[in-house]
Amino acid sequence: MIADRIAEVRSEIRLRCEKVNRDPSEVTLIAVSKTKPLSMILEALECGQTEFGENKVQEMCEKQAQIPERPVHWHLIGHLQSNKVKKAVSVADMIHSVDSLSLAKEIDKYAEKAGKCQDILIEVNVAGEESKFGVTPEEVLPLVKEIALLQNVRLRGFMTVAPYTDDAETNRPYFRRMHDLMVDINRKNIDNISVDVLSMGMSGDYGVAVEEGATHVRVGTYLFGERDYSK
Ligand SMILES: *Cc1c(COP(=O)(O)O)cnc(C)c1O
């Protein structure tokens, strides 16, 4: 049951927060509904879940169009191609996967046209995995300085997809590094920049991520079951 799983994850988030003296209201659960049917989203909505994550713009738009007038917030968590930016801006409340200045500029352009200030996160490949998107930790500061000059995007913070692992503890240093990175950026006092979002932690490691300062955890499999990509 999705309801039970959501309750379990919320309770685990509370426990982890208690452990490190954080206020659980600082942590947002994003239910990652990619590849899953609308019926599952509606079921989650019934339990008060309002934040959803999708990795494809098209799928996000289709689902959004089918949801009746309900307060749903969409998080685009997958890699974004420049030809999909217009659509992404039209539906996403937050774009987690900004990994270049050219993409940020494209988002800025369409956000201006839409009369919107688009919340974005910079995706950081904190473990330096070859297969992953995202900038290196060293590339973050120069990119932040450039993004600071854009009028129609608001940089809220950073996102990372930590390595896949059976032992969440092995990702703790990566989550810690992300937190340090956020603190460092705020200390630079860059005009226009004050970041407070850390999107990190998935089904296998969100508890550790919360202990290390995650403000948004992205949980898919644990809530909705394994995904089938063959269809
Ligand atoms: C699919 C996905 C998730 C959810 O992963 P689970 O292991 O199913 O919880 C989180 N973040 C991103 C970027 C994803 O693509």
Side-chain angles (χ1 to χ4, degrees):
M1 281 299 292
I2 292 171
D4 298 330
R5 289 299 179 107
I6 288 177
E8 270 178 55
V9 172
R10 290 191 182 286
S11 132
E12 182 67 16
I13 289 172
R14 268 195 305 278
L15 284 173
R16 300 288 186 143
C17 282
E18 265 169 38
K19 210 171 141 190
V20 296
N21 276 314
R22 290 188 68 194
D23 179 345
S25 70
E26 289 171 15
V27 183
T28 300
L29 169 62
I30 299 174
V32 176
S33 46
K34 63 187 185 197
T35 79
K36 297 297 180 183
L38 191 70
S39 58
M40 286 188 166
I41 295 181
L42 296 177
E43 204 176 325
L45 262 172
E46 289 306 315
C47 324
Q49 178 64 36
T50 54
E51 310 293 316
F52 292 89
E54 291 282 341
N55 66 342
K56 295 212 169 92
V57 176
Q58 186 63 29
E59 189 173 338
M60 181 182 279
C61 288
E62 282 165 14
K63 285 172 172 168
Q64 162 67 24
Q66 292 176 73
I67 291 182
E69 296 288 303
R70 295 281 281 278
V72 174
H73 296 132
W74 295 100
H75 297 261
L76 184 66
I77 60 176
H79 184 64
L80 177 56
Q81 291 168 310
S82 57
N83 61 342
K84 306 262 171 68
V85 168
K86 185 179 179 188
K87 263 194 150 173
V89 167
S90 75
V91 66
D93 290 281
M94 186 135 76
I95 298 174
H96 291 229
S97 46
V98 175
D99 60 359
S100 70
L101 180 59
S102 60
L103 181 59
K105 283 182 167 168
E106 201 69 7
I107 294 171
D108 182 64
K109 183 173 97 185
Y110 284 107
E112 182 175 16
K113 286 186 183 164
K116 169 182 190 186
C117 190
Q118 177 70 55
D119 280 348
I120 62 167
L121 304 178
I122 292 176
E123 180 171 357
V124 184
N125 182 358
V126 69
E129 289 177 284
E130 216 146 272
S131 59
K132 293 260 167 81
F133 291 107
V135 302
T136 66
E138 292 71 31
E139 288 167 331
V140 168
L141 179 60
L143 181 55
V144 169
K145 285 180 173 167
E146 295 285 351
I147 288 177
L149 305 174
L150 305 176
Q151 302 293 311
N152 306 286
V153 297
R154 184 158 64 124
L155 180 68
R156 296 288 312 274
F158 304 100
M159 180 271 243
T160 197
V161 179
Y164 183 80
T165 174
D166 289 329
D167 176 10
E169 281 301 326
T170 61
N171 280 338
R172 190 181 291 278
Y174 298 126
F175 296 141
R176 192 164 290 175
R177 176 124 195 240
M178 291 296 293
H179 184 262
D180 291 347
L181 192 74
M182 185 166 81
V183 172
D184 279 349
I185 292 295
N186 281 329
R187 281 207 188 114
K188 305 275 181 204
N189 287 318
I190 303 162
D191 270 355
N192 229 353
I193 296 293
S194 160
V195 284
D196 61 358
V197 172
L198 272 183
S199 168
M200 57 189 195
M202 307 177 17
S203 290
D205 57 13
Y206 72 90
V208 172
V210 167
E211 288 178 10
E212 296 299 330
T215 64
H216 290 64
V217 294
R218 310 178 307 267
V219 181
T221 307
Y222 192 79
L223 299 179
F224 300 119
E226 295 288 338
R227 286 176 292 271
D228 180 359
Y229 288 102
S230 65
K231 287 182 284 189

